[in-house]
Amino acid sequence: MQTTNTTEQQIIEAARKIFMQRGLSGARMQDIADAAGINKAMLHYYYRSKDKLFEIVFAEAVQALLGRVNAIFAGDMPWKEKIVAAIDNYITSISENPYLPLFVLHEINQNPDRLVSQFLHGPLFPNLRAFMAELAEEAAKGNIRKVDPLQLMISIISMCVFPFAAKPLLTGVFQMDANAFGKFIEERKKFVGSFVLNALEP
Amino acid sequence: MQTTNTTEQQIIEAARKIFMQRGLSGARMQDIADAAGINKAMLHYYYRSKDKLFEIVFAEAVQALLGRVNAIFAGDMPWKEKIVAAIDNYITSISENPYLPLFVLHEINQNPDRLVSQFLHGPLFPNLRAFMAELAEEAAKGNIRKVDPLQLMISIISMCVFPFAAKPLLTGVFQMDANAFGKFIEERKKFVGSFVLNALEP
DNA sequence: CTTTGCATTAACCAAATGGTTAAACAACTT
DNA sequence: AAGTTGTTTAACCATTTGGTTAATGCAAAG
C-alpha cells in the first residue's frame, strides 16, 4: 500500500477502495475519479478502460488473499507451531483489509476465468501442498488423528476467512459493535489455533 | 421452490436465478424478463421496481440461509448428536442452492441496513442461543473442553458455509471438477462433525 | 355480440454511464 | 520568445438501463 502522490497511484488507491467496496458492476468510474480527486478522463488516460483498471486491482487482491496463504506455510517450524503461527499470521493479515475476502470471492464467482489467468504466473501453492503432505506423514506415524489433509486445510482457511466475509452479518446477528468485533478477532487467533490442534489429537 | 406457472411466479423464479448469479448491481431487468420468457414491462406491472423485486428475492434468501441455522438447532437430542445432525443438515440444505451464501453475504455487505429490516420479523435465533447456553453448561460440568460458545458456533458455520462461498476458487486451486466437488461436500458432512467433536474432547 | 377489466406487448423516454475529444495548461528545450 | 511534449479538464457522445405508456389481446360478464 504505497502512498506516493503520482496521479497513477492516486487512481489505483481510489480504484481499490471503490472496487473493493462495491464490486466491478457496482463501481462507477465517476466515483473512482471523485475518490481520487481528479478528472474522470484521467482514468482512461492512464488505464484505458474500467475493465483494465479492475484487472489490476483484482490481481493485487488475489495475490494478497491467496499468495499469502502459501507464503504463510513456508519455513521449517515443527508442524504444530506452524499451524498456530499460520493461523495467527493469516488472520492478522486479513484484518488489515477486511473487504478483501468477500471481494475476491464475489468476483471469482462472477467470472471464474479471471482466476485462471492469475495462476499462469506461478505454481499452485507449493508450500501449502508440501505442508499437506507433511500432515499425511504425521497421520501415518500416528502423531495426529487420521484426517483428509484437504478437508483440514479448507477448514482452517474457512475459520480464518469466513468471519471477515460475514462481518456485517455477524455484527448484526450477534449485536456486536466495531469494537466488539475487533476483540472477537483478537480472541479468534488463539481459539482457532487451539481448536485445530485439539481436533488433531489422536 | 414451487413451480406453478403463473406469471408472477415465473418472474420470481427468474429474478431469483439472475439476482443470485449476478447480484443486485450486476442484474439487468431485461435479463430477468428474458429468463422468465416474458416482456420486461411485466416485471414492473407486478413488482413496480427492480429494488422491490430484489427485496423479495433477498428476504427469501436470508430466510433460507439464516432461518435454517436456527431451525436446525431445534429438537431435544443430546448435544453430541445435535451437533452432528445440525452440520449434516446444514451442509445438505446449502448444497441445494450453492449460490445462496455468497449472494447473501455480498448483498449484506453492500447494504447492511437491509439485514436489519429482516430481523424485525422474528427473534434472534432463540434455538441457537439456547444451544450455546447448553454448551456452556456442559463445559462447566467438564464434559467438553472449555471454549467460547460464540467462537465455536461461528467456526461450525464457517466450516459449513465457506466451501460453498469459495466453490469456484477451491475447484480452481485444487483442480476439482464438478463431480469431485460434490464428492468433497459429501465427505465434508462427516469430516466437520467428527472434527468438531474431537476438538471438544476435554 | 358487446362490454368490461385485467394481462401483455412494442415502442418510447430520461437518466446514468463508460468512453472520447479538442482545447487549455504547464514544464522543459531550443 | 517560441516550440515541444506530456498532463489535465470541460464538454460531448453513444449506449445501456430502469421505467413508462398507449395500444392490443383476451377471457369472463352482461
Side-chain angles (χ1 to χ4, degrees):
Chain A
M1 305 275 175
Q2 286 202 39
T3 137
T4 44
N5 250 355
T6 146
T7 303
E8 261 166 300
Q9 266 298 326
Q10 282 176 281
I11 292 175
I12 291 292
E13 273 161 51
R16 195 152 45 207
K17 180 179 160 191
I18 300 292
F19 277 134
M20 291 248 180
Q21 244 177 76
R22 310 217 235 272
L24 173 56
S25 69
R28 299 289 153 244
M29 291 299 265
Q30 188 60 59
D31 292 342
I32 295 176
D34 291 349
I38 50 145
N39 189 283
K40 178 165 71 90
M42 299 306 288
L43 305 182
H44 296 99
Y45 181 75
Y46 283 108
Y47 298 99
R48 284 200 75 81
S49 70
K50 189 186 183 184
D51 275 293
K52 289 269 201 303
L53 185 53
F54 175 82
E55 205 61 48
I56 292 170
V57 171
F58 179 70
E60 228 183 60
V62 168
Q63 187 54 29
L65 189 69
L66 302 189
R68 218 166 291 219
V69 132
N70 193 52
I72 263 164
F73 280 100
D76 54 354
M77 284 178 262
W79 65 272
K80 276 193 186 188
E81 289 171 39
K82 200 184 269 190
I83 285 181
V84 171
I87 289 168
D88 190 297
N89 217 321
Y90 200 47
I91 290 179
T92 301
S93 82
I94 296 179
S95 298
E96 283 155 25
N97 187 357
Y99 276 104
L100 196 124
L102 201 49
F103 169 68
V104 172
L105 291 178
H106 180 251
E107 297 301 341
I108 288 177
N109 240 297
Q110 293 307 298
N111 184 357
D113 292 336
R114 242 193 282 273
L115 186 65
V116 178
S117 60
Q118 296 297 318
F119 284 140
L120 303 177
H121 303 311
L124 296 161
F125 302 90
N127 293 337
L128 195 155
R129 283 165 193 278
F131 185 67
M132 279 167 60
E134 193 183 338
L135 285 178
E137 270 180 54
E138 294 295 330
K141 279 193 258 173
N143 292 338
I144 63 178
R145 200 164 60 88
K146 206 168 182 308
V147 294
D148 176 357
L150 180 62
Q151 294 279 358
L152 174 61
M153 272 327 304
I154 291 181
S155 298
I156 292 176
I157 297 175
S158 296
M159 287 188 283
C160 292
V161 173
F162 184 80
F164 294 97
K167 176 175 176 180
L169 199 164
L170 296 178
T171 54
V173 170
F174 297 109
Q175 291 162 322
M176 307 187 222
D177 55 20
N179 206 14
F181 185 78
K183 219 173 142 190
F184 169 79
I185 292 298
E186 228 21 70
E187 272 303 307
R188 191 149 188 84
K189 292 178 192 173
K190 289 176 255 165
F191 175 88
V192 176
S194 63
F195 189 78
V196 170
L197 289 190
N198 244 275
L200 289 180
E201 210 84 356
Chain B
M1 306 278 174
Q2 286 201 38
T3 135
T4 43
N5 249 356
T6 147
T7 302
E8 261 166 299
Q9 266 298 328
Q10 281 176 283
I11 291 175
I12 290 293
E13 273 161 50
R16 196 153 42 207
K17 180 180 160 190
I18 301 293
F19 277 133
M20 291 247 179
Q21 244 176 78
R22 311 219 234 273
L24 173 56
S25 69
R28 299 290 154 244
M29 291 298 265
Q30 188 59 60
D31 292 342
I32 296 176
D34 290 349
I38 51 143
N39 189 283
K40 178 165 69 90
M42 299 306 286
L43 304 182
H44 295 98
Y45 181 75
Y46 283 108
Y47 299 99
R48 283 202 75 81
S49 70
K50 189 185 184 185
D51 275 293
K52 287 270 200 305
L53 186 53
F54 176 81
E55 204 61 47
I56 292 170
V57 170
F58 178 71
E60 230 183 59
V62 168
Q63 188 54 29
L65 189 70
L66 302 188
R68 220 166 292 219
V69 133
N70 193 53
I72 263 164
F73 280 100
D76 54 354
M77 284 179 261
W79 64 271
K80 276 194 186 188
E81 290 171 40
K82 200 184 269 190
I83 285 182
V84 171
I87 289 168
D88 190 297
N89 217 320
Y90 200 46
I91 290 179
T92 301
S93 82
I94 296 178
S95 298
E96 283 155 25
N97 187 356
Y99 276 104
L100 196 125
L102 201 50
F103 169 68
V104 173
L105 291 178
H106 180 252
E107 297 301 340
I108 288 176
N109 239 298
Q110 294 307 298
N111 184 357
D113 291 337
R114 241 193 284 273
L115 186 64
V116 178
S117 60
Q118 296 299 318
F119 284 141
L120 302 177
H121 303 312
L124 296 161
F125 303 91
N127 293 336
L128 195 155
R129 283 167 193 276
F131 184 67
M132 280 166 61
E134 194 182 337
L135 285 177
E137 271 180 53
E138 294 295 330
K141 279 192 258 171
N143 292 339
I144 64 179
R145 200 164 58 89
K146 208 169 179 308
V147 294
D148 177 357
L150 180 61
Q151 294 279 358
L152 174 62
M153 270 329 303
I154 292 181
S155 298
I156 292 176
I157 297 174
S158 296
M159 288 188 282
C160 292
V161 173
F162 184 80
F164 294 97
K167 176 176 176 179
L169 199 164
L170 296 178
T171 54
V173 169
F174 297 107
Q175 292 161 321
M176 307 187 223
D177 54 21
N179 207 13
F181 185 79
K183 219 173 142 190
F184 170 79
I185 291 298
E186 230 19 72
E187 273 303 308
R188 191 148 188 86
K189 292 177 191 173
K190 290 176 253 164
F191 175 87
V192 176
S194 63
F195 189 78
V196 170
L197 289 189
N198 242 276
L200 288 180
E201 210 84 357

